[in-house]
Amino acid sequence: MELSINISNMLGRYPLAKAAELYHSAGFTACDYSLGEMVSDDSVFNTDRWREAAEEVRRVAEQAGLRINQTHAPFTFRHWEDEAVYREVIYPRLCRSVEISAILGARVVVMHPLHHFVYHGHEQEIFEANMAFYRSLLPLCRNCHIKVGVENMYQVDPRRRHIVFDTCATKEEFVRYIDTLDSEYMVACLDLGHVGLPLQDDEAQDFVRALGHDRLQALHVHDNDYRGDNHNLPYFGKMNWPEITKALGEIDYTGDFTYEINANMLATVDDAFVPVGMRYMADVGRHLIELIDAARPRS
């Protein structure tokens, strides 16, 4: 199991080569590379040089000792609801993100479901729209030999400003999505920190057990206070990490352990302390991986 970090949390401070070198020295063996910049027209990935740019990113990361184990497709586009914008801009860039992810060497590209709709009362039509969306990516996945990770989401009520249910926010719907897609190229990426944000009784460990070994093949690992999507380092929130790791071990989870944590922990420290903080992040990750391995079934 690779210990992986979302390297984008340091790219506002350091160039890729430096960030990768620091994380590798701290004990990480892989990184998650965000393709969020593709929402901008001036991203190099939206030019004719996109292949060369992807090859260069992979070269820089691997030269520093990090494998890119997974990526995150862009999702902060504006005007998702505009059919022309979706058809001419958003969807082509999402497809290209799959190809870029394959060049980067990722095993999984995490792709949010279509969830720019009002969820409550529209669950079935959103489900059908997402089945068509994900199935349209299957030929590309086969050609590129890469899997798409479906992620569990949440919404914020526009009037009350509190978190409400969204696509795959219940374990039953998440299982339904993966089982209906029924393809080796469509797997679950469980965002552990998104579980429990809506008012629900299920915890992250319940989702792990419901998804099981075959469906669950990628993670976004972070902690929260059950009130906001904080993206904290584990043990810096209220989630039950002994139970989460026990569940991952019980299902014999064989994907990677990939953080999706924000940069706040190291945002205000001086450069000399950054490696110390990174080593602590890696130590926490290795501790959690040890707990997972200790809970695996004995043959």
PDB file of all heavy atoms in Angstrom, residues 188-210:
ATOM      1  N   ALA A 188     -15.044   2.711  -6.567  1.00  0.00           N
ATOM      2  CA  ALA A 188     -15.382   3.716  -5.555  1.00  0.00           C
ATOM      3  C   ALA A 188     -14.112   4.354  -5.013  1.00  0.00           C
ATOM      4  O   ALA A 188     -13.164   3.661  -4.633  1.00  0.00           O
ATOM      5  CB  ALA A 188     -16.172   3.083  -4.419  1.00  0.00           C
ATOM      6  N   CYS A 189     -14.093   5.684  -4.992  1.00  0.00           N
ATOM      7  CA  CYS A 189     -13.107   6.429  -4.215  1.00  0.00           C
ATOM      8  C   CYS A 189     -13.866   7.012  -3.029  1.00  0.00           C
ATOM      9  O   CYS A 189     -14.642   7.966  -3.193  1.00  0.00           O
ATOM     10  CB  CYS A 189     -12.454   7.544  -5.030  1.00  0.00           C
ATOM     11  SG  CYS A 189     -11.376   8.606  -4.024  1.00  0.00           S
ATOM     12  N   LEU A 190     -13.671   6.445  -1.878  1.00  0.00           N
ATOM     13  CA  LEU A 190     -14.400   6.896  -0.690  1.00  0.00           C
ATOM     14  C   LEU A 190     -13.690   8.085  -0.069  1.00  0.00           C
ATOM     15  O   LEU A 190     -12.549   7.978   0.396  1.00  0.00           O
ATOM     16  CB  LEU A 190     -14.513   5.762   0.324  1.00  0.00           C
ATOM     17  CG  LEU A 190     -15.235   6.116   1.633  1.00  0.00           C
ATOM     18  CD1 LEU A 190     -16.673   6.563   1.374  1.00  0.00           C
ATOM     19  CD2 LEU A 190     -15.212   4.925   2.593  1.00  0.00           C
ATOM     20  N   ASP A 191     -14.356   9.224  -0.092  1.00  0.00           N
ATOM     21  CA  ASP A 191     -13.861  10.392   0.620  1.00  0.00           C
ATOM     22  C   ASP A 191     -14.313  10.248   2.068  1.00  0.00           C
ATOM     23  O   ASP A 191     -15.477  10.472   2.403  1.00  0.00           O
ATOM     24  CB  ASP A 191     -14.410  11.677  -0.012  1.00  0.00           C
ATOM     25  CG  ASP A 191     -13.754  12.918   0.561  1.00  0.00           C
ATOM     26  OD1 ASP A 191     -13.832  13.100   1.800  1.00  0.00           O
ATOM     27  OD2 ASP A 191     -13.184  13.702  -0.213  1.00  0.00           O
ATOM     28  N   LEU A 192     -13.376   9.861   2.922  1.00  0.00           N
ATOM     29  CA  LEU A 192     -13.719   9.558   4.315  1.00  0.00           C
ATOM     30  C   LEU A 192     -14.274  10.775   5.027  1.00  0.00           C
ATOM     31  O   LEU A 192     -15.189  10.676   5.845  1.00  0.00           O
ATOM     32  CB  LEU A 192     -12.477   9.039   5.039  1.00  0.00           C
ATOM     33  CG  LEU A 192     -11.907   7.709   4.528  1.00  0.00           C
ATOM     34  CD1 LEU A 192     -10.558   7.419   5.186  1.00  0.00           C
ATOM     35  CD2 LEU A 192     -12.877   6.569   4.792  1.00  0.00           C
ATOM     36  N   GLY A 193     -13.739  11.952   4.718  1.00  0.00           N
ATOM     37  CA  GLY A 193     -14.180  13.163   5.389  1.00  0.00           C
ATOM     38  C   GLY A 193     -15.539  13.665   4.963  1.00  0.00           C
ATOM     39  O   GLY A 193     -16.144  14.489   5.657  1.00  0.00           O
ATOM     40  N   HIS A 194     -16.042  13.189   3.808  1.00  0.00           N
ATOM     41  CA  HIS A 194     -17.375  13.603   3.376  1.00  0.00           C
ATOM     42  C   HIS A 194     -18.477  12.836   4.097  1.00  0.00           C
ATOM     43  O   HIS A 194     -19.625  13.284   4.120  1.00  0.00           O
ATOM     44  CB  HIS A 194     -17.532  13.391   1.864  1.00  0.00           C
ATOM     45  CG  HIS A 194     -16.803  14.396   1.034  1.00  0.00           C
ATOM     46  ND1 HIS A 194     -16.783  14.342  -0.344  1.00  0.00           N
ATOM     47  CD2 HIS A 194     -16.069  15.489   1.384  1.00  0.00           C
ATOM     48  CE1 HIS A 194     -16.066  15.352  -0.809  1.00  0.00           C
ATOM     49  NE2 HIS A 194     -15.611  16.054   0.220  1.00  0.00           N
ATOM     50  N   VAL A 195     -18.120  11.680   4.649  1.00  0.00           N
ATOM     51  CA  VAL A 195     -19.119  10.883   5.358  1.00  0.00           C
ATOM     52  C   VAL A 195     -19.428  11.555   6.693  1.00  0.00           C
ATOM     53  O   VAL A 195     -18.532  11.989   7.413  1.00  0.00           O
ATOM     54  CB  VAL A 195     -18.625   9.448   5.603  1.00  0.00           C
ATOM     55  CG1 VAL A 195     -19.686   8.645   6.357  1.00  0.00           C
ATOM     56  CG2 VAL A 195     -18.283   8.761   4.286  1.00  0.00           C
ATOM     57  N   GLY A 196     -20.696  11.634   7.037  1.00  0.00           N
ATOM     58  CA  GLY A 196     -21.084  12.206   8.315  1.00  0.00           C
ATOM     59  C   GLY A 196     -21.359  13.696   8.262  1.00  0.00           C
ATOM     60  O   GLY A 196     -21.878  14.260   9.232  1.00  0.00           O
ATOM     61  N   LEU A 197     -21.038  14.344   7.146  1.00  0.00           N
ATOM     62  CA  LEU A 197     -21.330  15.777   7.056  1.00  0.00           C
ATOM     63  C   LEU A 197     -22.830  16.048   6.948  1.00  0.00           C
ATOM     64  O   LEU A 197     -23.338  16.944   7.615  1.00  0.00           O
ATOM     65  CB  LEU A 197     -20.564  16.400   5.885  1.00  0.00           C
ATOM     66  CG  LEU A 197     -19.038  16.456   6.057  1.00  0.00           C
ATOM     67  CD1 LEU A 197     -18.398  17.110   4.840  1.00  0.00           C
ATOM     68  CD2 LEU A 197     -18.644  17.214   7.321  1.00  0.00           C
ATOM     69  N   PRO A 198     -23.557  15.301   6.082  1.00  0.00           N
ATOM     70  CA  PRO A 198     -25.020  15.411   6.184  1.00  0.00           C
ATOM     71  C   PRO A 198     -25.481  14.809   7.514  1.00  0.00           C
ATOM     72  O   PRO A 198     -24.736  14.055   8.156  1.00  0.00           O
ATOM     73  CB  PRO A 198     -25.526  14.573   4.991  1.00  0.00           C
ATOM     74  CG  PRO A 198     -24.352  14.371   4.111  1.00  0.00           C
ATOM     75  CD  PRO A 198     -23.159  14.382   5.003  1.00  0.00           C
ATOM     76  N   LEU A 199     -26.676  15.114   7.928  1.00  0.00           N
ATOM     77  CA  LEU A 199     -27.187  14.579   9.193  1.00  0.00           C
ATOM     78  C   LEU A 199     -27.548  13.112   9.004  1.00  0.00           C
ATOM     79  O   LEU A 199     -28.657  12.764   8.585  1.00  0.00           O
ATOM     80  CB  LEU A 199     -28.395  15.391   9.656  1.00  0.00           C
ATOM     81  CG  LEU A 199     -28.102  16.844  10.021  1.00  0.00           C
ATOM     82  CD1 LEU A 199     -29.390  17.580  10.365  1.00  0.00           C
ATOM     83  CD2 LEU A 199     -27.104  16.928  11.173  1.00  0.00           C
ATOM     84  N   GLN A 200     -26.592  12.228   9.285  1.00  0.00           N
ATOM     85  CA  GLN A 200     -26.788  10.794   9.079  1.00  0.00           C
ATOM     86  C   GLN A 200     -26.115  10.030  10.211  1.00  0.00           C
ATOM     87  O   GLN A 200     -25.195  10.522  10.862  1.00  0.00           O
ATOM     88  CB  GLN A 200     -26.211  10.357   7.729  1.00  0.00           C
ATOM     89  CG  GLN A 200     -24.717  10.562   7.617  1.00  0.00           C
ATOM     90  CD  GLN A 200     -24.146  10.289   6.232  1.00  0.00           C
ATOM     91  OE1 GLN A 200     -23.095  10.755   5.897  1.00  0.00           O
ATOM     92  NE2 GLN A 200     -24.832   9.536   5.413  1.00  0.00           N
ATOM     93  N   ASP A 201     -26.600   8.816  10.418  1.00  0.00           N
ATOM     94  CA  ASP A 201     -26.035   7.978  11.471  1.00  0.00           C
ATOM     95  C   ASP A 201     -24.820   7.196  11.003  1.00  0.00           C
ATOM     96  O   ASP A 201     -23.975   6.821  11.814  1.00  0.00           O
ATOM     97  CB  ASP A 201     -27.099   6.995  11.987  1.00  0.00           C
ATOM     98  CG  ASP A 201     -28.221   7.709  12.727  1.00  0.00           C
ATOM     99  OD1 ASP A 201     -27.945   8.757  13.338  1.00  0.00           O
ATOM    100  OD2 ASP A 201     -29.367   7.228  12.671  1.00  0.00           O
ATOM    101  N   ASP A 202     -24.735   6.917   9.701  1.00  0.00           N
ATOM    102  CA  ASP A 202     -23.619   6.121   9.191  1.00  0.00           C
ATOM    103  C   ASP A 202     -22.300   6.866   9.327  1.00  0.00           C
ATOM    104  O   ASP A 202     -22.223   8.083   9.137  1.00  0.00           O
ATOM    105  CB  ASP A 202     -23.853   5.767   7.721  1.00  0.00           C
ATOM    106  CG  ASP A 202     -24.958   4.742   7.543  1.00  0.00           C
ATOM    107  OD1 ASP A 202     -25.084   3.860   8.418  1.00  0.00           O
ATOM    108  OD2 ASP A 202     -25.690   4.824   6.548  1.00  0.00           O
ATOM    109  N   GLU A 203     -21.260   6.106   9.650  1.00  0.00           N
ATOM    110  CA  GLU A 203     -19.910   6.631   9.778  1.00  0.00           C
ATOM    111  C   GLU A 203     -19.057   6.107   8.624  1.00  0.00           C
ATOM    112  O   GLU A 203     -19.474   5.236   7.859  1.00  0.00           O
ATOM    113  CB  GLU A 203     -19.306   6.188  11.112  1.00  0.00           C
ATOM    114  CG  GLU A 203     -20.075   6.648  12.332  1.00  0.00           C
ATOM    115  CD  GLU A 203     -19.720   8.073  12.746  1.00  0.00           C
ATOM    116  OE1 GLU A 203     -18.842   8.681  12.089  1.00  0.00           O
ATOM    117  OE2 GLU A 203     -20.301   8.560  13.727  1.00  0.00           O
ATOM    118  N   ALA A 204     -17.847   6.639   8.519  1.00  0.00           N
ATOM    119  CA  ALA A 204     -16.956   6.238   7.432  1.00  0.00           C
ATOM    120  C   ALA A 204     -16.729   4.726   7.434  1.00  0.00           C
ATOM    121  O   ALA A 204     -16.697   4.091   6.377  1.00  0.00           O
ATOM    122  CB  ALA A 204     -15.632   6.977   7.554  1.00  0.00           C
ATOM    123  N   GLN A 205     -16.580   4.134   8.618  1.00  0.00           N
ATOM    124  CA  GLN A 205     -16.344   2.691   8.689  1.00  0.00           C
ATOM    125  C   GLN A 205     -17.544   1.898   8.163  1.00  0.00           C
ATOM    126  O   GLN A 205     -17.374   0.793   7.629  1.00  0.00           O
ATOM    127  CB  GLN A 205     -15.999   2.259  10.114  1.00  0.00           C
ATOM    128  CG  GLN A 205     -17.008   2.635  11.184  1.00  0.00           C
ATOM    129  CD  GLN A 205     -16.688   3.958  11.843  1.00  0.00           C
ATOM    130  OE1 GLN A 205     -16.071   4.826  11.249  1.00  0.00           O
ATOM    131  NE2 GLN A 205     -17.093   4.114  13.109  1.00  0.00           N
ATOM    132  N   ASP A 206     -18.750   2.441   8.294  1.00  0.00           N
ATOM    133  CA  ASP A 206     -19.932   1.768   7.751  1.00  0.00           C
ATOM    134  C   ASP A 206     -19.903   1.774   6.225  1.00  0.00           C
ATOM    135  O   ASP A 206     -20.284   0.788   5.583  1.00  0.00           O
ATOM    136  CB  ASP A 206     -21.206   2.458   8.240  1.00  0.00           C
ATOM    137  CG  ASP A 206     -21.318   2.459   9.760  1.00  0.00           C
ATOM    138  OD1 ASP A 206     -21.029   1.409  10.371  1.00  0.00           O
ATOM    139  OD2 ASP A 206     -21.676   3.498  10.331  1.00  0.00           O
ATOM    140  N   PHE A 207     -19.458   2.883   5.637  1.00  0.00           N
ATOM    141  CA  PHE A 207     -19.311   2.956   4.177  1.00  0.00           C
ATOM    142  C   PHE A 207     -18.256   1.966   3.698  1.00  0.00           C
ATOM    143  O   PHE A 207     -18.434   1.307   2.672  1.00  0.00           O
ATOM    144  CB  PHE A 207     -18.928   4.372   3.750  1.00  0.00           C
ATOM    145  CG  PHE A 207     -20.089   5.292   3.517  1.00  0.00           C
ATOM    146  CD1 PHE A 207     -20.919   5.664   4.566  1.00  0.00           C
ATOM    147  CD2 PHE A 207     -20.347   5.805   2.261  1.00  0.00           C
ATOM    148  CE1 PHE A 207     -21.988   6.524   4.372  1.00  0.00           C
ATOM    149  CE2 PHE A 207     -21.412   6.662   2.044  1.00  0.00           C
ATOM    150  CZ  PHE A 207     -22.242   7.023   3.101  1.00  0.00           C
ATOM    151  N   VAL A 208     -17.141   1.881   4.420  1.00  0.00           N
ATOM    152  CA  VAL A 208     -16.071   0.956   4.040  1.00  0.00           C
ATOM    153  C   VAL A 208     -16.610  -0.462   3.963  1.00  0.00           C
ATOM    154  O   VAL A 208     -16.400  -1.179   2.976  1.00  0.00           O
ATOM    155  CB  VAL A 208     -14.901   1.043   5.037  1.00  0.00           C
ATOM    156  CG1 VAL A 208     -13.914  -0.104   4.806  1.00  0.00           C
ATOM    157  CG2 VAL A 208     -14.189   2.380   4.927  1.00  0.00           C
ATOM    158  N   ARG A 209     -17.323  -0.883   4.989  1.00  0.00           N
ATOM    159  CA  ARG A 209     -17.831  -2.254   5.022  1.00  0.00           C
ATOM    160  C   ARG A 209     -18.902  -2.480   3.963  1.00  0.00           C
ATOM    161  O   ARG A 209     -18.982  -3.568   3.366  1.00  0.00           O
ATOM    162  CB  ARG A 209     -18.374  -2.573   6.417  1.00  0.00           C
ATOM    163  CG  ARG A 209     -17.290  -2.623   7.493  1.00  0.00           C
ATOM    164  CD  ARG A 209     -17.824  -3.092   8.831  1.00  0.00           C
ATOM    165  NE  ARG A 209     -16.746  -3.254   9.803  1.00  0.00           N
ATOM    166  CZ  ARG A 209     -16.433  -2.365  10.745  1.00  0.00           C
ATOM    167  NH1 ARG A 209     -17.135  -1.236  10.855  1.00  0.00           N
ATOM    168  NH2 ARG A 209     -15.427  -2.590  11.568  1.00  0.00           N
ATOM    169  N   ALA A 210     -19.745  -1.479   3.706  1.00  0.00           N
ATOM    170  CA  ALA A 210     -20.789  -1.632   2.693  1.00  0.00           C
ATOM    171  C   ALA A 210     -20.192  -1.741   1.297  1.00  0.00           C
ATOM    172  O   ALA A 210     -20.644  -2.551   0.472  1.00  0.00           O
ATOM    173  CB  ALA A 210     -21.764  -0.459   2.768  1.00  0.00           C
TER     174      ALA A 210
END
